Amino acid sequence: MNLIPPITSISNLSAARRIHNTMQIGIDSFAALVADPITGAMPTAADRMAHLIEEIELADRVGLDFFGLGEHHREEYLDAAPAVILAAGAARTRNIRLGSAVTVLSAADPVRVFQEFATLDLISGGRAEIVVGRGSFVESFPLFGLKLEDYDDLFVEKLDLLLTLRDETNVNWSGKHRAALTGQGVYPRPLQKKMPIWLGVGGTPQSFARAGALGLPLMVAIIGGEPHRFRPLVDLYREAGKRAGYKPEDLKVGIHALGYVADTNQQAADEFFPGYAAAFTKIGKERGWPPVTRRQFDALLQPRGALMVGDPETVAGKVQQMSDDLGGIDRITFQMSVAALRHKPLLHAINLLGSKVAPILRKTHTA
């Protein structure tokens, strides 16, 4: 039984999308240390890290554009220092761009964030990016002696400092939550003249408007529901950017989506569901959500559902549909590690993403 209906409008591009550059295709990952959802076997931390570096290497070899790594400060994750892991990946890759997904800026020192990613930029030959956000967990606040009630103020202030650090070597800056800088030089400087800093957002209108007003590229996390419902927020971002004087081509839109590619739709759904259900049921227990059911999962596999899960043609069609619905997107990153997939199927999915899905989307978006 094919759970995912075919999409008939794969080539029906909006005029707005046609003026943009080729869509970039990438992967976002977590260094999650979780049990196999089928066997219950637990990998060692060293094995999981070695597998992660192998995934970055393969993503580069098959021609993907970006590999992003999340940041967590919880027992089941190994990515508390993502720039270190990305630097290891940089030394073993040639072309793929490497960045965070996301850097939890509210709980970090912007000077150290800038220094770490500037160092990554030098190691990688100018391939580093930063996606900053506020994160979906709050453990980092007490860990670093911060108050959760300052959640938004911390982010706004630290984003201002990070952008200043990118643009100026000797910085004069003052704020409420950090000691002032009075002309100190911040080193090293990155190889890129203006290292990309994306703003990662969920569903808060203020965040979309902020990104537009600052002219920052936008990375939208869409992990449930129907992506077309985000169109008003994406429009808000573009309108805020226009009012601030930025050109349409400056206002890039990226989507962080849960996805997985296999040889058939049924195989992709059956392999992705166990780990997906386990992960979101666990998160749900912390947040008062009911357990995930297969019926809910299958609904998200529909043409306009949020899960980019299926065979290469189906996944490419879903991405294209989402791009049309949102008025065009510049980057799509697939989060596959959330489902605790076995290493071999995950490598096969990365291969299919680079060898099958990406060529379809690139051909369509350069037509």
Side-chain angles (χ1 to χ4, degrees):
M1 173 179 151
N2 190 336
L3 294 171
I4 310 175
I7 293 175
T8 59
S9 60
I10 186 170
S11 62
N12 184 24
L13 283 174
S14 66
R17 179 63 243 170
R18 289 184 185 275
I19 67 171
H20 285 218
N21 294 325
T22 302
M23 184 190 297
Q24 294 184 342
I25 319 298
I27 293 172
D28 286 337
S29 185
F30 300 152
L33 190 65
V34 295
D36 185 303
I38 298 173
T39 68
M42 178 69 75
T44 67
D47 284 346
R48 175 66 189 107
M49 200 66 77
H51 287 167
L52 180 57
I53 299 301
E54 188 178 352
E55 292 160 20
I56 297 173
E57 285 185 281
L58 179 59
D60 182 56
R61 283 202 307 273
V62 299
L64 293 176
D65 299 293
F66 179 80
F67 197 103
L69 188 62
E71 177 190 342
H72 300 86
H73 301 272
R74 296 164 67 92
E75 181 180 9
E76 65 268 33
Y77 293 98
L78 304 172
D79 49 25
V84 177
I85 302 171
L86 292 169
R92 296 167 67 168
T93 56
R94 291 179 178 271
N95 300 306
I96 195 166
R97 299 190 66 79
L98 302 164
S100 53
V102 300
T103 294
V104 185
L105 189 60
S106 300
D109 181 353
V111 173
R112 292 299 289 154
V113 169
F114 180 82
Q115 290 175 323
E116 289 166 1
F117 280 87
T119 303
L120 173 62
D121 200 53
L122 295 173
I123 293 171
S124 66
R127 293 184 279 132
E129 301 186 6
I130 311 174
V131 182
V132 297
R134 288 177 287 192
S136 57
F137 298 104
V138 297
E139 291 82 3
S140 54
F141 285 82
L143 181 65
F144 296 112
L146 301 168
K147 296 179 180 179
L148 191 56
E149 55 265 33
D150 294 330
Y151 185 83
D152 193 62
D153 285 347
L154 282 165
F155 183 78
V156 172
E157 179 176 296
K158 292 184 176 187
L159 178 59
D160 178 64
L161 176 54
L162 182 63
L163 295 175
T164 303
L165 292 164
R166 181 180 65 173
D167 295 338
E168 303 173 14
T169 301
N170 295 88
V171 177
N172 288 281
W173 178 93
S174 63
K176 176 182 177 183
H177 299 284
R178 189 199 186 280
L181 294 174
T182 55
Q184 295 95 325
V186 178
Y187 305 100
R189 305 306 298 177
L191 183 61
Q192 297 176 89
K193 185 175 181 180
K194 193 166 186 176
M195 187 165 55
I197 297 176
W198 296 65
L199 187 58
V201 301
T204 307
Q206 292 88 339
S207 297
F208 284 80
R210 177 183 296 143
L214 293 171
L216 295 177
L218 183 76
M219 180 56 67
V220 188
I222 302 180
I223 61 174
E226 297 178 323
H228 71 87
R229 296 178 183 272
F230 281 77
R231 179 62 183 267
L233 293 171
V234 173
D235 287 345
L236 175 64
Y237 161 71
R238 290 174 171 142
E239 181 59 32
K242 180 180 178 181
R243 288 199 305 269
Y246 295 100
K247 298 177 181 178
E249 57 267 29
D250 296 329
L251 302 171
K252 299 184 183 300
V253 175
I255 302 296
H256 163 98
L258 303 184
Y260 178 61
V261 192
D263 294 318
T264 69
N265 288 335
Q266 190 69 53
Q267 180 187 359
D270 291 344
E271 290 179 351
F272 195 75
F273 174 71
Y276 166 88
F280 279 88
T281 295
K282 181 177 181 179
I283 294 172
K285 288 181 180 179
E286 299 177 9
R287 303 183 182 184
W289 303 342
V292 174
T293 67
R294 182 60 189 249
R295 183 176 180 180
Q296 293 169 333
F297 174 80
D298 289 348
L300 294 173
L301 301 180
Q302 300 306 305
R304 287 189 166 176
L307 293 181
M308 303 290 131
V309 175
D311 64 27
E313 292 74 19
T314 296
V315 169
K318 289 199 71 172
V319 172
Q320 183 58 65
Q321 182 68 66
M322 179 171 62
S323 180
D324 290 345
D325 286 343
L326 297 178
I329 62 175
D330 298 274
R331 175 181 288 179
I332 174 76
T333 57
F334 288 75
Q335 168 53 266
M336 297 188 280
S337 64
V338 70
L341 295 157
R342 294 176 177 179
H343 186 51
K344 188 174 180 179
L346 182 55
L347 292 179
H348 183 56
I350 293 171
N351 185 48
L352 289 175
L353 191 60
S355 64
K356 302 290 186 181
V357 177
I360 295 173
L361 291 171
R362 287 168 181 156
K363 181 179 180 180
T364 303
H365 281 252
T366 54

